Amino acid sequence: MVIVTMFSSAVMVTMFSSAVMVTKFSSAMRTILCLVFVRILYPVSALPYTSPQAPNYLPGYPDEWAFTTRQQTEPAPKVDYKEVMKDIVEVMTNSRDFWPADNGNYGPLFIRLTWHNTGSYRTSDGRGGADGARQRFEPERSWADNTNLDKARALLWPIKQKYGQGLSWGDLFVLAGNAAFESMGGPYFGFCGGRIDADDGSESVQLGPSPKQELLMPCKVSGKCQEPLGANDIGLIYVNPEGHMGIPDPVATARHVREVFARMDMNDSETVALMGGGHSFGGTHGACPAGAGPSPREDPVNPWPGLCGSGKGYDAFTSGFEFAFTTHPTTFDVEYFNNLINFDWQVHVGPGGRFQWKPILSEGMDSPTAPTNDGRYPRRYVGALTSDIALTKDEAYKKLVELYASDQKLFNHAWSHAWYKLTTRDMGPRTRCSNDDAPPPQWFQYPLPDPPAQLANFEEVKQKLVEVLDDDTGEAIGMFTRLAWQCSSTFRSTDYLGGCNGARIRFSPQKDWAVNINVVSAIDTLEPIKDEFGENLSWADLIILAGNTALEKAGGKSLKFCGGRTDATDGKGSEHLHPKITGKFTEPLVQLKDSMVQLKDSIGILSLTQREFAALNGAGYAIGDLRDCDGLFCRRNSFQTAVANYERPYSTTSNLTNIFFLTLLSERWDKYTIPDTGKQMYKARGKDHLMLPTDFLFLLDPELLAIVQDFAADNDLFLSVVASAWTKLSNVDRFKGPTGNVCD
């Protein structure tokens, strides 16, 4: 905290000193610089937008080194989501003494609850979003941006209690915002139900703040966090609304708004629509500079009590800003956009000690205000955040502001679709929605065509594959298994994207990834079979069946094949699915902890257990591709240039055995660099055996080493786990509702 404050102050002093020497400055800039200088002289005691330090491990804080995924094998009882929304509307207008509703309506609070649950989603690894409802747990529940949302969750508890396990917290959080918008006049596009609640906050640990987040995706300067993190500041949903780095510069803030919203997969029109729709309602709370008080992590008994007067109602402190966004904060319209256009704005420091903006009024003009509870308190002035003003300082954003201000119908359409995307982006394909009345598949769900009306006879297809394998010298086994692995291993359990259904490996960007070098050879080999069976055989089914047949041919156990996949027409949806485990950890001895955590984290995203991944990695070592190869399903000695170019004889025997584990345990390994390519590997002392850095990590972790020893001692166990893990990964993307699978 001290370091950040000193750094920020130094920057501000430098700016102020520079301003003194410049004779020509705009009045707005002079105002900003003067206010900055005031902030330096009179620092604010409570700074909810400063990234907190790594947490202490208090009761209830997740074990961040555990690698868990949500497991729900039985579908929850169905509920009528429309009835749930009716119950939410009743709660919205029943103000409670423990947290009085602004203007007698909790709608704006519920919208904030929904936004702050769903807005944590990031495309880099699919983490975040409302699925899991992890805002109930650390670290999300104590984020500065989630101040006082514990009250919103408490208000919804009677509804959760009423519907029990049939209604997940994740679905309830999204429905709360939907019901609020619809009841206050907003357009409603629809709802995709079926979120599965997490048991703890372990899936949010990588969102930060935590040692694991700092290790995997560090943020050296709060306010300048880069991808794969979603927000600029740890603990915020997107950007600091006060301005980038706390400086009220709308131009700089506009750049960061665009960058951070893009990390959530939002374009310009969606960004402006979401900000305008969200700020059609409610206001901000920062009644005094004393702050909100301790977070739930710091005081789970009485979190965020509010240090201004009563701490609630007119005295509430949430963000530190204090104003209403519009003159009628419980009505959906385009006043927010009109205010941005029709007023000139000036920055000032509000009662909470934050930079905020107010309209510049002509002589005789009354300041726009909004009503407060029952008229017992003074009306609230209308204001704006630096992030709001930023929309008028960027040409592309400004055009959209003007467009939405002039066309309510157009804005309704843009808003409703952007909101549905925001609340549904982490749910995967439309086939995972639990309700039949969910909207039709949207582009961001990357819908696939229907499977062939008449499926091919897969036994006949398999016989053709066997003929290819019989006529081959052994190379096709590695080609087919690697193609199927590379196709399937794009799956992410975090947002249910990827997998081999669609066979997008045939298109860019997947086919261009370095790790997919030469997979086209396998596709070319399979093409005559695809042509023979025509439209009745999808590429996706053919790729998986080819992998299955090759595994069995190599000595693996019999595999059950589940057909009915279909083919995508392009590679959209693959932009963020590049495999994270390719064997290329560079310095596992120096950065052992980093590499090990990254490996285990990636295994979890892949929806595999460590034992399942170890088995598949061992299979790739034993029967993987023989040349021009990259990734885990490659014979390790194929990385030697001479072998890759057939300059000397080598074995093409393809037997699926536990040889990987036996070799790993029986040799001593030294770091080794492939002379011609510079590829970092490990080489057996006195022998030609090679291992990838990923392979070597199995010796250094006690949990992975135990698995290695199990498989080295029992080849049949190894073959059994290969069969089950291979089938699991091949079918993991065959969704039938939130928890079902068409192959079960």
Side-chain angles (χ1 to χ4, degrees):
M1 179 74 74
V2 175
I3 295 174
V4 172
T5 304
M6 290 175 63
F7 174 78
S8 302
S9 299
V11 172
M12 293 176 180
V13 169
T14 302
M15 289 179 59
F16 184 81
S17 301
S18 300
V20 172
M21 295 187 294
V22 178
T23 58
K24 294 184 179 180
F25 256 102
S26 68
S27 59
M29 181 57 72
R30 287 198 300 270
T31 302
I32 290 174
L33 290 171
C34 289
L35 287 170
V36 167
F37 189 58
V38 169
R39 170 66 65 81
I40 298 167
L41 295 177
Y42 304 100
V44 180
S45 60
L47 293 173
Y49 286 100
T50 299
S51 177
Q53 301 298 311
N56 297 317
Y57 293 94
L58 300 177
Y61 202 87
D63 177 4
E64 66 168 278
W65 303 108
F67 297 85
T68 60
T69 56
R70 277 160 284 145
Q71 301 291 334
Q72 181 174 314
T73 56
E74 296 296 329
K78 283 196 172 184
V79 300
D80 187 333
Y81 293 128
K82 293 180 181 178
E83 291 300 314
V84 175
M85 290 179 67
K86 290 179 182 178
D87 290 342
I88 293 170
V89 171
E90 289 186 13
V91 170
M92 279 172 47
T93 54
N94 181 20
S95 184
R96 305 289 299 278
D97 289 341
F98 80 90
W99 192 255
D102 288 350
N103 305 108
N105 195 319
Y106 289 117
L109 176 65
F110 287 168
I111 290 169
R112 177 169 169 255
L113 174 73
T114 305
W115 168 252
H116 285 218
N117 271 276
T118 59
S120 61
Y121 174 79
R122 63 192 189 195
T123 59
S124 60
D125 58 9
R127 286 193 167 92
D131 191 22
R134 293 175 300 275
Q135 193 193 81
R136 298 169 296 150
F137 309 119
E138 298 296 344
E140 288 189 56
R141 75 167 182 160
S142 291
W143 281 0
D145 249 4
N146 291 336
T147 300
N148 288 325
L149 287 180
D150 56 327
K151 283 77 170 179
R153 297 192 295 272
L155 289 165
L156 293 174
W157 163 243
I159 298 176
K160 178 68 175 78
Q161 185 178 29
K162 173 182 177 179
Y163 291 95
Q165 294 304 306
L167 176 65
S168 68
W169 275 109
D171 279 346
L172 180 56
F173 290 159
V174 174
L175 287 168
N178 289 357
F181 270 111
E182 190 175 32
S183 69
M184 294 187 290
Y188 179 64
F189 182 64
F191 174 72
C192 169
R195 291 161 186 82
I196 302 170
D197 288 341
D199 293 330
D200 55 37
S202 57
E203 291 180 64
S204 294
V205 167
Q206 291 89 331
L207 303 181
S210 69
K212 184 176 181 182
Q213 165 260 313
E214 283 295 332
L215 188 141
L216 290 175
M217 47 204 75
C219 178
K220 295 181 179 180
V221 179
S222 180
K224 294 184 178 182
C225 301
Q226 303 295 316
E227 283 193 287
L229 293 170
N232 272 348
D233 292 75
I234 302 295
L236 300 191
I237 299 302
Y238 62 118
V239 298
N240 186 341
E242 193 175 15
H244 180 57
M245 301 301 294
I247 300 173
D249 180 354
V251 175
T253 300
R255 294 194 297 269
H256 291 278
V257 167
R258 176 172 287 109
E259 176 189 343
V260 171
F261 269 82
R263 299 181 198 175
M264 295 188 288
D265 197 31
M266 296 295 173
N267 61 29
D268 282 0
S269 61
E270 293 165 334
T271 299
V272 175
L274 286 171
M275 291 179 65
H279 291 177
S280 293
F281 306 107
T284 59
H285 296 85
C288 73
S295 70
R297 180 174 62 83
E298 298 162 324
D299 184 359
V301 176
N302 186 30
W304 290 315
L307 305 180
C308 310
S310 67
K312 57 187 179 180
Y314 191 75
D315 295 327
F317 187 107
T318 294
S319 63
F321 307 101
E322 181 62 44
F323 58 82
F325 286 109
T326 68
T327 58
H328 31 78
T330 57
T331 302
F332 184 85
D333 57 19
V334 293
E335 182 190 339
Y336 168 83
F337 297 118
N338 282 313
N339 286 346
L340 289 180
I341 295 170
N342 296 332
F343 288 114
D344 291 324
W345 297 83
Q346 66 180 19
V347 66
H348 70 109
V349 176
R354 305 282 175 213
F355 289 123
Q356 57 189 54
W357 296 72
K358 61 183 178 181
I360 299 175
L361 304 175
S362 302
E363 186 175 351
M365 181 185 296
D366 292 331
S367 179
T369 59
T372 54
N373 293 349
D374 304 324
R376 290 177 293 173
Y377 302 104
R379 293 175 66 89
R380 303 183 74 200
Y381 289 105
V382 169
L385 303 166
T386 301
S387 52
D388 297 317
I389 303 301
L391 299 183
T392 68
K393 303 301 180 182
D394 176 276
E395 285 302 315
Y397 283 159
K398 186 177 181 181
K399 289 178 181 178
L400 289 164
V401 169
E402 294 169 343
L403 184 63
Y404 293 152
S406 64
D407 193 332
Q408 177 79 56
K409 185 177 180 180
L410 178 66
F411 172 55
N412 288 352
H413 182 274
W415 156 258
S416 61
H417 284 73
W419 179 257
Y420 183 69
K421 178 182 176 182
L422 174 73
T423 57
T424 313
R425 187 66 174 82
D426 62 332
M427 287 289 287
R430 166 65 174 78
T431 50
R432 291 197 67 255
C433 299
S434 62
N435 49 318
D436 295 334
D437 62 350
Q442 302 297 298
W443 69 265
F444 64 85
Q445 295 170 310
Y446 308 111
L448 291 169
D450 291 333
Q454 180 66 42
L455 296 180
N457 184 320
F458 293 118
E459 286 301 320
E460 293 180 4
V461 177
K462 185 174 182 179
Q463 184 56 44
K464 295 293 182 181
L465 291 166
V466 170
E467 291 174 7
V468 173
L469 293 168
D470 285 342
D471 292 340
D472 183 70
T473 59
E475 186 174 354
I477 287 179
M479 291 170 58
F480 290 173
T481 53
R482 176 170 173 251
L483 175 62
W485 163 261
Q486 293 302 130
C487 192
S488 298
S489 63
T490 56
F491 179 75
R492 294 198 311 200
S493 63
T494 48
D495 57 359
Y496 311 100
L497 295 182
C500 200
N501 196 13
R504 293 185 173 94
I505 196 169
R506 298 168 297 137
F507 304 111
S508 294
Q510 287 195 35
K511 72 181 183 66
D512 305 317
W513 293 341
V515 73
N516 285 338
I517 183 175
N518 201 38
V519 295
V520 67
S521 296
I523 293 173
D524 290 344
T525 303
L526 293 173
E527 193 156 17
I529 300 177
K530 175 67 174 77
D531 291 341
E532 180 176 347
F533 290 90
E535 294 181 356
N536 295 340
L537 176 64
S538 67
W539 269 109
D541 273 343
L542 179 56
I543 290 171
I544 295 299
L545 187 54
N548 286 11
T549 307
L551 273 175
E552 292 175 351
K553 178 71 174 176
K557 292 183 178 293
S558 178
L559 299 171
K560 182 180 178 181
F561 176 73
C562 174
R565 294 169 184 81
T566 183
D567 291 336
T569 57
D570 55 43
K572 292 178 180 177
S574 302
E575 293 81 3
H576 303 283
L577 301 182
H578 190 285
K580 297 183 182 298
I581 313 176
T582 61
K584 293 183 179 178
F585 297 124
T586 54
E587 290 287 350
L589 285 177
V590 177
Q591 301 172 355
L592 169 61
K593 188 176 182 181
D594 305 48
S595 299
M596 193 68 70
V597 173
Q598 183 181 345
L599 173 64
K600 292 188 175 184
D601 183 66
S602 300
I603 293 171
I605 290 177
L606 198 54
S607 194
L608 295 173
T609 66
Q610 294 178 29
R611 182 172 292 268
E612 290 169 335
F613 175 80
L616 293 177
N617 186 64
Y621 177 93
I623 63 170
D625 212 346
L626 290 163
R627 63 186 180 92
D628 295 336
C629 191
D630 197 9
L632 303 183
F633 260 73
C634 302
R635 310 288 179 90
R636 301 313 190 242
N637 280 28
S638 72
F639 294 115
Q640 288 280 21
T641 306
V643 173
N645 293 331
Y646 290 99
E647 292 178 6
R648 62 181 173 85
Y650 63 96
S651 173
T652 59
T653 302
S654 296
N655 294 322
L656 181 59
T657 69
N658 59 354
I659 185 64
F660 168 72
F661 307 99
L662 293 169
T663 304
L664 195 62
L665 291 174
S666 62
E667 306 295 342
R668 298 185 66 183
W669 301 92
D670 297 315
K671 289 169 59 176
Y672 176 72
T673 302
I674 303 296
D676 293 336
T677 64
K679 187 177 184 68
Q680 299 294 309
M681 298 195 72
Y682 282 79
K683 188 173 183 293
R685 191 169 297 179
K687 297 182 181 179
D688 291 332
H689 303 314
L690 295 176
M691 290 285 176
L692 293 167
T694 303
D695 302 328
F696 186 67
L697 288 176
F698 279 83
L699 291 175
L700 306 179
D701 178 79
E703 295 173 358
L704 298 180
L705 178 60
I707 295 169
V708 170
Q709 292 168 336
D710 285 347
F711 288 152
D714 192 335
N715 187 61
D716 191 67
L717 172 65
F718 164 67
L719 295 178
S720 295
V721 178
V722 168
S724 60
W726 181 271
T727 303
K728 174 182 177 179
L729 190 60
S730 298
N731 297 337
V732 70
D733 58 347
R734 307 292 304 282
F735 305 113
K736 185 181 180 181
T739 60
N741 190 292
V742 298
C743 297
D744 291 342

